[in-house]
């Protein structure tokens, strides 16, 4: 397991925070955060009607105001087709066509079900129009040291997806807590075929933290050096203000480089962030 220097992590966060403070009102940085947002609704009250309204609002807030569209709409798998219906209403050729559909899959948020159920849920989400799948690593297996089980489950899901959608693996960093364990889980997920690694579900007491993001970036950098494959990073859970979003964007730029600051390699999962960003951009 990698030895993580927590004092160095703290220094990196302090440096990123100082840089981000100067970018808090920077239009380019705010536009970048907006374009990399997975606009998310994961409530027990969600329905086809509410999700269609949520999707239309995303288009109204961004594309119809001349702003970049969000990267994707993120919903429960049973509501993927509702997002597709709403997006189909946008005029042909508009930027709304670039909005993807993300489904949380694999017994989100706990991941505690049969492997066959996880695989079927992934397959059905893709069949109904999902472009990207956010699934939770087997946190219990990681905490108990059964790394082979956690990796094999992700590899089976990767095989089930078969290149038809992006696989974003949630590490649930708040539950793992230990930076070295976060690093281990990140490497394991990438070795199993993750296209992105993601901080959290947003359903635990501790969600995204700058420290976890720094550790994950280190893992991504190390993985690219050893395997020559670039993996994206998604931060999610509790990110509500433009200032918080810019901080995470700055951490990614600082640790991985400016080339990571595109929707292809960086995402922010959030529900209220778009509403906070748009007024500053108009």
């Amino acid at each position: 397991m990698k030895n993580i220097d927590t004092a160095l992590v703290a220094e990196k966060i302090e440096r990123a925070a100082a840089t981000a403070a100067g970018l808090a009102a920077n239009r380019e940085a705010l536009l970048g955060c907006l374009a990399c947002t997975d606009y998310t609704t994961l409530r027990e009250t969600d329905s086809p009607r509410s999700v269609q309204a949520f999707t239309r609002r995303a288009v109204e807030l961004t594309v119809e105001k001349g702003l970049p569209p969000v990267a994707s709409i993120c919903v429960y798998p049973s509501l993927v087709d509702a997002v597709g219906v709403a997006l189909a209403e946008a005029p042909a050729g508009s930027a709304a066509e670039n909005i993807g559909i993300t489904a949380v899959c694999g017994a989100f948020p706990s991941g505690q079900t049969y492997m066959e159920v996880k695989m079927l849920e992934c397959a059905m989400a893709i069949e109904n129009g999902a472009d990207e799948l956010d699934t939770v690593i087997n946190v219990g297996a990681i905490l108990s040291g059964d790394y082979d089980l956690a990796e094999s489950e992700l590899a089976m899901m990767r095989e089930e997806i078969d290149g038809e959608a992006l696989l974003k693996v949630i590490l649930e960093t708040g539950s793992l807590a230990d930076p070295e364990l976060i690093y281990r889980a990140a490497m394991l997920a990438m070795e199993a075929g993750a296209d992105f690694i993601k901080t959290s579900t947003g359903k635990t007491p501790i969600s995204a933290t700058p420290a976890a993001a720094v550790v994950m970036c280190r893992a991504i950098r190390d993985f690219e050096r050893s395997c020559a494959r670039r993996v994206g990073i998604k931060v999610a859970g509790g990110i509500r203000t433009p200032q918080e979003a810019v901080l995470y964007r700055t951490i990614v730029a600082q640790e991985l480089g400016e080339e990571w600051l595109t929707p292809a390699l960086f995402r922010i999962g959030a529900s209220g962030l778009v509403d906070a960003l748009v007024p500053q951009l108009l």
Side-chain angles (χ1 to χ4, degrees):
M1 194 176 294
K2 199 77 169 180
N3 182 30
I4 303 297
D5 185 339
T6 55
L8 180 59
V9 170
E11 289 177 15
K12 289 175 177 289
I13 294 169
E14 185 176 357
R15 184 165 72 249
T19 301
L23 294 172
N26 180 278
R27 182 173 178 81
E28 182 181 354
L30 297 178
L31 285 170
C33 290
L34 179 63
C36 290
T37 296
D38 286 345
Y39 193 39
T40 303
T41 179
L42 296 170
R43 300 177 179 178
E44 70 280 1
T45 55
D46 286 343
S47 66
R49 182 175 180 179
S50 71
V51 164
Q52 286 175 22
F54 183 83
T55 303
R56 293 186 192 105
R57 177 169 171 75
V59 175
E60 292 167 1
L61 283 172
T62 59
V63 175
E64 293 183 10
K65 296 183 184 297
L67 297 174
V70 295
S72 79
I73 307 294
C74 180
V75 296
Y76 283 112
S78 60
L79 295 166
V80 163
D81 53 352
V83 178
V85 168
L87 289 177
E89 297 172 356
S94 78
E97 291 183 345
N98 297 322
I99 298 176
I101 305 176
T102 297
V104 292
C105 284
F108 179 94
S110 70
Q112 297 286 8
T113 192
Y114 300 105
M115 193 61 217
E116 293 83 357
V117 174
K118 294 183 182 183
M119 293 170 67
L120 179 59
E121 192 173 52
C122 289
M124 292 178 70
I126 292 171
E127 184 177 351
N128 285 330
D131 307 295
E132 306 177 7
L133 305 180
D134 287 17
T135 192
V136 189
I137 200 169
N138 189 326
V139 178
I142 296 292
L143 290 172
S144 63
D146 196 347
Y147 305 119
D148 288 342
L149 173 61
E151 184 171 2
S152 66
E153 285 190 357
L154 292 176
M156 289 172 69
M157 294 176 75
R158 172 79 274 174
E159 185 176 355
E160 179 69 29
I161 293 167
D162 193 27
E164 295 185 64
L166 288 179
L167 178 62
K168 307 210 288 287
V169 176
I170 304 165
L171 306 181
E172 205 66 288
T173 55
S175 297
L176 297 181
D178 181 0
E180 294 182 5
L181 199 54
I182 292 170
Y183 180 94
R184 178 68 177 266
M187 293 297 288
L188 183 153
M190 292 185 287
E191 289 164 0
D195 297 299
F196 274 74
I197 52 174
K198 176 180 171 182
T199 56
S200 39
T201 60
K203 303 294 186 181
T204 54
I206 300 175
S207 293
T209 65
V214 170
V215 172
M216 290 166 63
C217 284
R218 178 174 176 177
I220 289 171
R221 187 173 65 245
D222 290 349
F223 182 78
E224 184 194 17
R225 288 172 178 168
S226 64
C227 299
R229 183 169 75 87
R230 288 187 171 183
V231 174
I233 180 170
K234 177 174 175 177
V235 293
I239 303 169
R240 298 180 179 87
T241 69
Q243 293 79 11
E244 290 170 321
V246 170
L247 173 59
Y248 283 106
R249 185 176 186 270
T250 303
I251 288 172
V252 171
Q254 174 180 282
E255 297 300 311
L256 296 172
E258 297 283 335
E259 60 267 34
W260 250 264
L261 301 182
T262 72
L265 290 169
F266 174 54
R267 298 290 179 87
I268 303 169
S271 55
L273 179 62
V274 172
D275 297 271
L277 282 169
V278 169
Q280 294 195 34
L281 290 167
L282 296 178

